[in-house]
CSV table of all heavy atoms in Angstrom, one decimal:
chain,number,residue,atom,x,y,z
A,8,ASN,N,61.8,-58.0,-69.7
A,8,ASN,CA,62.9,-59.0,-69.7
A,8,ASN,C,62.7,-60.0,-68.6
A,8,ASN,O,62.8,-59.6,-67.4
A,8,ASN,CB,64.3,-58.2,-69.5
A,8,ASN,CG,65.4,-59.1,-69.3
A,8,ASN,OD1,65.3,-60.3,-69.5
A,8,ASN,ND2,66.6,-58.6,-68.9
A,10,LYS,N,64.3,-62.7,-67.8
A,10,LYS,CA,65.6,-63.4,-67.2
A,10,LYS,C,65.3,-64.9,-67.1
A,10,LYS,O,64.9,-65.5,-68.1
A,10,LYS,CB,65.9,-62.7,-65.9
A,10,LYS,CG,66.1,-61.1,-66.1
A,10,LYS,CD,66.7,-60.4,-65.0
A,10,LYS,CE,66.7,-58.9,-65.4
A,10,LYS,NZ,67.3,-58.1,-64.4
A,96,HIS,N,73.1,-57.0,-72.1
A,96,HIS,CA,72.6,-56.7,-70.8
A,96,HIS,C,73.7,-56.8,-69.8
A,96,HIS,O,74.6,-57.6,-69.9
A,96,HIS,CB,71.5,-57.8,-70.4
A,96,HIS,CG,70.7,-57.4,-69.2
A,96,HIS,ND1,71.2,-57.6,-67.9
A,96,HIS,CD2,69.5,-56.8,-69.1
A,96,HIS,CE1,70.4,-57.1,-67.1
A,96,HIS,NE2,69.3,-56.6,-67.7
A,98,GLU,N,74.0,-58.0,-67.0
A,98,GLU,CA,74.2,-59.4,-66.4
A,98,GLU,C,75.0,-60.2,-67.3
A,98,GLU,O,75.8,-61.0,-66.9
A,98,GLU,CB,72.9,-60.0,-66.0
A,98,GLU,CG,72.3,-59.3,-64.8
A,98,GLU,CD,70.7,-59.3,-64.8
A,98,GLU,OE1,70.1,-60.1,-65.5
A,98,GLU,OE2,70.2,-58.4,-64.0
A,166,GLU,N,70.6,-48.8,-68.8
A,166,GLU,CA,70.2,-49.4,-67.5
A,166,GLU,C,71.4,-49.3,-66.5
A,166,GLU,O,72.4,-50.0,-66.6
A,166,GLU,CB,70.0,-50.9,-67.6
A,166,GLU,CG,68.8,-51.3,-68.5
A,166,GLU,CD,68.2,-52.7,-68.2
A,166,GLU,OE1,69.0,-53.6,-68.3
A,166,GLU,OE2,67.0,-52.8,-67.8
A,170,ALA,N,70.8,-49.8,-60.4
A,170,ALA,CA,69.4,-49.6,-60.3
A,170,ALA,C,68.6,-50.9,-60.6
A,170,ALA,O,67.4,-50.9,-60.6
A,170,ALA,CB,68.9,-48.4,-61.1
A,171,ILE,N,69.4,-51.9,-61.1
A,171,ILE,CA,68.7,-53.1,-61.6
A,171,ILE,C,68.4,-54.0,-60.4
A,171,ILE,O,69.3,-54.5,-59.7
A,171,ILE,CB,69.6,-53.9,-62.6
A,171,ILE,CG1,69.8,-53.0,-63.8
A,171,ILE,CG2,69.0,-55.2,-62.9
A,171,ILE,CD1,70.7,-53.6,-64.9
A,172,GLY,N,67.1,-54.3,-60.2
A,172,GLY,CA,66.6,-55.2,-59.2
A,172,GLY,C,66.9,-54.8,-57.8
A,172,GLY,O,66.8,-55.5,-56.8
A,207,GLY,N,65.7,-50.3,-65.0
A,207,GLY,CA,66.3,-50.3,-63.6
A,207,GLY,C,65.2,-49.9,-62.6
A,207,GLY,O,64.9,-48.7,-62.4
A,208,SER,N,64.6,-50.9,-62.0
A,208,SER,CA,63.5,-50.7,-61.0
A,208,SER,C,62.4,-49.9,-61.5
A,208,SER,O,61.8,-49.1,-60.7
A,208,SER,CB,64.2,-50.1,-59.7
A,208,SER,OG,65.1,-51.0,-59.2
A,209,VAL,N,62.0,-50.0,-62.7
A,209,VAL,CA,60.8,-49.3,-63.2
A,209,VAL,C,59.6,-50.1,-62.7
A,209,VAL,O,59.5,-51.3,-62.7
A,209,VAL,CB,60.7,-49.3,-64.8
A,209,VAL,CG1,59.4,-48.8,-65.3
A,209,VAL,CG2,61.9,-48.5,-65.4
A,227,LEU,N,62.8,-50.8,-70.3
A,227,LEU,CA,63.1,-52.2,-70.2
A,227,LEU,C,62.9,-52.6,-68.8
A,227,LEU,O,63.5,-52.1,-67.9
A,227,LEU,CB,64.6,-52.4,-70.7
A,227,LEU,CG,65.1,-53.8,-70.6
A,227,LEU,CD1,64.3,-54.8,-71.5
A,227,LEU,CD2,66.6,-53.9,-71.1
A,228,ILE,N,62.0,-53.6,-68.6
A,228,ILE,CA,61.5,-53.8,-67.3
A,228,ILE,C,61.8,-55.3,-66.9
A,228,ILE,O,61.4,-56.2,-67.6
A,228,ILE,CB,60.0,-53.6,-67.2
A,228,ILE,CG1,59.6,-52.2,-67.8
A,228,ILE,CG2,59.4,-53.7,-65.8
A,228,ILE,CD1,58.4,-52.2,-68.7
A,229,GLY,N,62.3,-55.5,-65.7
A,229,GLY,CA,62.5,-56.8,-65.2
A,229,GLY,C,61.4,-57.3,-64.3
A,229,GLY,O,60.3,-57.7,-64.7
A,230,GLY,N,61.6,-57.2,-63.0
A,230,GLY,CA,60.7,-57.7,-62.0
A,230,GLY,C,59.2,-57.3,-62.2
A,230,GLY,O,58.3,-58.1,-62.1
B,1,13P,P1,64.4,-54.6,-62.7
B,1,13P,O1,63.2,-53.9,-63.5
B,1,13P,O2,63.9,-55.8,-62.0
B,1,13P,O3,65.2,-53.6,-61.9
B,1,13P,O4,65.3,-55.2,-63.9
B,1,13P,C1,65.8,-54.3,-64.9
B,1,13P,C2,66.4,-55.1,-65.9
B,1,13P,O5,67.5,-55.7,-65.8
B,1,13P,C3,65.7,-55.3,-67.2
B,1,13P,O6,66.6,-55.7,-68.2
Side-chain angles (χ1 to χ4, degrees):
N8 175 10
K10 307 190 183 185
H96 191 282
E98 288 148 17
E166 297 201 304
I171 295 178
S208 297
V209 174
L227 179 57
I228 308 140

